[in-house]
Amino acid sequence: MIDYGLEGKVALVTGASGGIGRAAALAFARSGAKVLVCDVKDEEGRETVSMIEAAGGTAIWQRCDVSSSSEIKAMVGRAVDAWGRLDCAFNNAGVNLLGRDEFADENWDVAISINLTGVMRCIREEAEVMLRNGGGAIVNTSSINGLVGNPNQPGYVASKHGVVGLTRQAALKWAKEGIRVNAVCPGVIETPMTAPIVSDPQLRSLVDSMTPMGRFGKPEEIAEAVVWLCSDAASFVTGHPMVIDGGAIAF
């Protein structure tokens, strides 16, 4: 893995109890950043902290439900209280309501409140701190379903398209103030969220056949892109939805 030179930086990761979020938290720490590990799953989140510490990094745990404005404010405040600043933020927390009717009000509301409104509220609080510090980098998790359609998940598709639009808006808003805002758009990645597909041989074979590279992605492959986007190596990159999907939407 690459060291992106984040010594002395402070990074915040939501949805860090597993999957892409955990991989990103570990990657930030490996590059020298202090990491605020955030999620609603206490045990798994604390496990991420322990993994970082075992590897010689620095991390603390903060519970945060991104559907709550007050918890987001407390989360960002914790980073400032602990380390005095916030340099990098990965707004990764999200839900995928596989198999549920997302036209039903209760499911639509969950998808939008967590996947889109939660990202907006995180950006709002993070940017306020970054502006005081002279800049920073924000990465949001969208999806290939934020760029193309999916006939089965209206709430997921709408929320992830919204994240791409919000990313572009925020990038333009703060482009001259030192805050870069980008998004990652993963294809199918082998995480706890995709476990129902991974565990079904027929579904897995179908997904593999729809991906030109013939396999699922790994959380670490998304994490590397996230940390790169937050590093000085990506200093001229903002407003970009980076597709990481093994070629799935290149057809």
Side-chain angles (χ1 to χ4, degrees), residues 60-108:
I60 56 176
W61 162 249
Q62 176 70 26
R63 190 185 191 284
C64 181
D65 178 349
V66 299
S67 67
S68 166
S69 292
S70 61
E71 291 195 23
I72 291 171
K73 186 177 288 290
M75 171 184 70
V76 175
R78 180 76 184 283
V80 176
D81 290 345
W83 297 308
R85 59 187 300 113
L86 178 64
D87 302 285
C88 311
F90 180 33
N91 299 317
N92 171 69
V95 293
N96 190 335
L97 305 177
L98 288 168
R100 301 189 208 175
D101 176 11
E102 293 182 9
F103 275 132
D105 285 349
E106 62 274 17
N107 293 330
W108 175 271

Side-chain angles (χ1 to χ4, degrees), residues 27-250:
F28 274 119
R30 189 168 54 248
S31 284
K34 300 178 180 70
V35 185
L36 186 69
V37 173
C38 312
D39 207 305
V40 294
K41 299 177 180 178
D42 292 85
E43 183 176 348
E44 294 91 336
R46 293 181 190 280
E47 184 179 359
T48 301
V49 171
S50 296
M51 293 169 71
I52 290 171
E53 292 175 339
T58 301
I60 56 176
W61 162 249
Q62 176 70 26
R63 190 185 191 284
C64 181
D65 178 349
V66 299
S67 67
S68 166
S69 292
S70 61
E71 291 195 23
I72 291 171
K73 186 177 288 290
M75 171 184 70
V76 175
R78 180 76 184 283
V80 176
D81 290 345
W83 297 308
R85 59 187 300 113
L86 178 64
D87 302 285
C88 311
F90 180 33
N91 299 317
N92 171 69
V95 293
N96 190 335
L97 305 177
L98 288 168
R100 301 189 208 175
D101 176 11
E102 293 182 9
F103 275 132
D105 285 349
E106 62 274 17
N107 293 330
W108 175 271
D109 290 346
V110 167
I112 298 299
S113 68
I114 295 175
N115 292 350
L116 179 56
T117 307
V119 171
M120 179 277 292
R121 289 170 172 162
C122 285
I123 292 173
R124 183 176 65 194
E125 298 298 329
E126 293 154 0
E128 182 178 332
V129 173
M130 289 177 179
L131 288 168
R132 296 200 301 265
N133 293 343
I138 296 171
V139 178
N140 305 313
T141 296
S142 179
S143 165
I144 55 172
N145 285 311
L147 299 170
V148 299
N150 172 336
N152 301 313
Q153 293 189 279
Y156 190 75
V157 169
S159 65
K160 294 302 187 178
H161 271 71
V163 169
V164 171
L166 181 61
T167 296
R168 289 172 169 152
Q169 181 276 331
L172 294 173
K173 180 176 178 66
W174 293 305
K176 294 182 179 179
E177 298 180 79
I179 299 177
R180 296 184 299 103
V181 188
N182 293 288
V184 287
C185 299
V188 182
I189 310 300
E190 194 163 337
T191 69
M193 186 178 286
T194 60
I197 300 173
V198 173
S199 62
D200 185 317
Q202 288 186 319
L203 282 176
R204 178 158 194 154
S205 178
L206 176 63
V207 172
D208 285 348
S209 71
M210 295 168 62
T211 304
M213 290 183 70
R215 64 173 177 84
F216 283 38
K218 300 175 183 177
E220 293 76 15
E221 291 172 311
I222 310 303
E224 291 293 310
V226 170
V227 180
W228 178 79
L229 285 167
C230 286
S231 76
D232 289 343
S235 57
F236 200 53
V237 182
T238 197
H240 178 53
M242 180 179 284
V243 178
I244 313 166
D245 70 344
I249 65 170

